[in-house]
């Protein structure tokens, strides 16, 4: 089947020429587009997203293991920081994939959190497509260029620091209380949920965070709580 769209500018930006152009196009096809275009000849990108998620984690894990002499926990934090949804949605901008996404009219109008989910998932799908079309080395080239290259930024900005552990340490030291986390709300479809999580010391809410996973929302809540706690300590 001939490709339905000219993806050559995107391929140039990605640094990969796909043997099967429709593998890349499938990675850019959101489920909502098929709802409005039932005769479209390709499937949506969720299977490629599933594949790409695993490939991305393997490549990043392998790089961290071979590059850094770090303990398991530290490597886990670095990996989590670089493959989380917020980071991947930014990487989608670097890849230039947003203008090529096939979305429903409704999804095209939404530029908020829902779009971040779609972009992050599309990055994983494109990585999955690269793996399917080019094998491990093709996927690795893509991940090295767009994901691994973000590691210096992650380290410099401390994005890999486990804020939950840091907040717990301070809370226990100052108040002898272990923080607890509670999901305040969740919204969205099963494959693109947004979680709102609060962190509490006893019954007092210290911070609130949002994320594409409960873990991401907890980290953000802990970051907010930690900033508030440090401000209170400085005032005393």
């Amino acid at each position: 089947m001939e490709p339905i769209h000219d993806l050559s500018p995107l391929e140039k930006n990605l640094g990969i020429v796909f043997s099967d152009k429709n593998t890349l196009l499938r990675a850019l096809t959101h489920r909502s587009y098929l709802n409005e275009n039932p005769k479209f000849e390709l499937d949506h990108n969720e299977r490629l997203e599933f594949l790409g998620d695993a490939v991305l984690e393997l490549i990043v894990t392998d790089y961290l293991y071979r590059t850094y002499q770090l303990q398991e926990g530290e490597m886990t934090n670095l990996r989590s920081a670089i493959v989380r949804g917020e980071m991947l949605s930014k990487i989608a901008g670097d890849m230039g994939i947003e203008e090529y996404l096939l979305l429903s009219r409704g999804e095209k109008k939404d530029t908020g959190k829902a779009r971040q989910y779609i972009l992050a998932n599309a990055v994983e799908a494109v990585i999955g497509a690269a793996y399917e079309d080019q094998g491990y080395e093709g996927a690795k080239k893509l991940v090295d260029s767009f994901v691994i290259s973000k590691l210096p930024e992650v380290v410099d900005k401390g994005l890999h620091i486990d804020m939950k552990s840091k907040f717990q340490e301070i809370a226990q030291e100052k108040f002898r209380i272990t923080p607890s986390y509670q999901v305040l709300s969740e919204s969205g479809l099963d494959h693109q949920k947004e979680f709102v999580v609060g962190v509490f010391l006893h019954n007092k809410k210290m911070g609130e965070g949002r994320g594409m996973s409960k873990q991401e929302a907890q980290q953000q809540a802990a970051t907010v709580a930690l900033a508030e706690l440090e401000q209170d300590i400085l005032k005393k």
Side-chain angles (χ1 to χ4, degrees):
M1 185 172 64
E2 287 299 311
I4 303 165
H5 296 270
D6 179 18
L7 300 175
S8 54
L10 177 59
E11 288 179 297
K12 184 177 180 181
N13 198 50
L14 294 175
I16 295 178
V17 178
F18 281 73
S19 300
D20 182 355
K21 311 298 182 186
N22 284 323
T23 301
L24 176 57
L25 184 59
R26 185 156 47 99
L28 302 168
T29 303
H30 189 254
R31 176 187 286 271
S32 65
Y33 184 80
L34 299 187
N35 294 336
E36 290 185 356
N37 300 273
K39 294 183 179 180
F40 190 66
E41 297 181 34
L42 301 177
D43 195 7
H44 56 71
N45 65 3
E46 289 171 22
R47 280 173 53 83
L48 284 174
E49 176 196 333
F50 173 79
L51 176 63
D53 176 57
V55 172
L56 172 62
E57 185 161 314
L58 173 60
I59 293 171
V60 172
T61 300
D62 183 68
Y63 179 85
L64 292 173
Y65 178 80
R66 297 180 187 283
T67 306
Y68 296 96
Q69 295 299 315
L70 298 173
Q71 296 300 311
E72 178 188 357
E74 294 173 288
M75 288 192 292
T76 298
N77 291 340
L78 270 175
R79 184 180 63 197
S80 296
I82 205 167
V83 304
R84 66 183 180 179
E86 184 180 348
M87 179 64 77
L88 291 181
S89 68
K90 293 177 181 177
I91 289 169
D94 297 337
M95 288 182 169
I97 65 179
E98 185 166 11
E99 65 181 283
Y100 294 94
L101 289 176
L102 299 182
L103 304 169
S104 67
R105 289 186 292 272
E107 291 291 357
K108 281 182 179 178
K109 293 176 183 177
D110 193 331
T111 57
K113 270 284 183 184
R115 179 59 61 85
Q116 282 193 20
Y117 290 113
I118 290 171
L119 288 170
N121 293 340
V123 169
E124 292 179 339
V126 168
I127 292 168
Y131 179 80
E132 184 172 289
D133 190 80
Q134 305 274 317
Y136 181 83
E137 288 304 319
K140 184 176 182 300
K141 178 182 178 183
L142 191 63
V143 173
D144 285 348
S145 296
F146 290 97
V147 183
I148 299 296
S149 60
K150 296 291 185 185
L151 269 172
E153 176 188 345
V154 167
V155 173
D156 289 346
K157 293 183 178 180
L159 301 179
H160 62 297
I161 295 172
D162 183 354
M163 290 300 181
K164 280 183 66 179
S165 296
K166 190 172 181 181
F167 179 59
Q168 178 170 313
E169 182 182 327
I170 292 177
Q172 288 176 334
E173 179 185 337
K174 298 292 181 184
F175 309 109
R176 300 186 183 281
I177 301 173
T178 298
S180 61
Y181 293 83
Q182 181 180 335
V183 176
L184 303 178
S185 68
E186 55 183 271
S187 58
L189 301 174
D190 286 343
H191 63 284
Q192 55 182 60
K193 279 191 178 295
E194 179 182 48
F195 296 91
V196 178
V197 171
V199 57
F200 297 82
L201 294 181
H202 285 324
N203 294 321
K204 182 180 179 182
K205 186 170 77 172
M206 302 298 294
E208 187 175 300
R210 297 172 180 267
M212 299 179 188
S213 67
K214 292 177 184 177
Q215 293 78 10
E216 188 174 325
Q218 287 172 354
Q219 286 288 340
Q220 190 177 105
T223 301
V224 172
L226 191 59
E228 290 292 327
L229 197 57
E230 288 176 342
Q231 282 295 110
D232 289 344
I233 291 170
L234 287 173
K235 289 176 184 177
K236 293 179 179 178

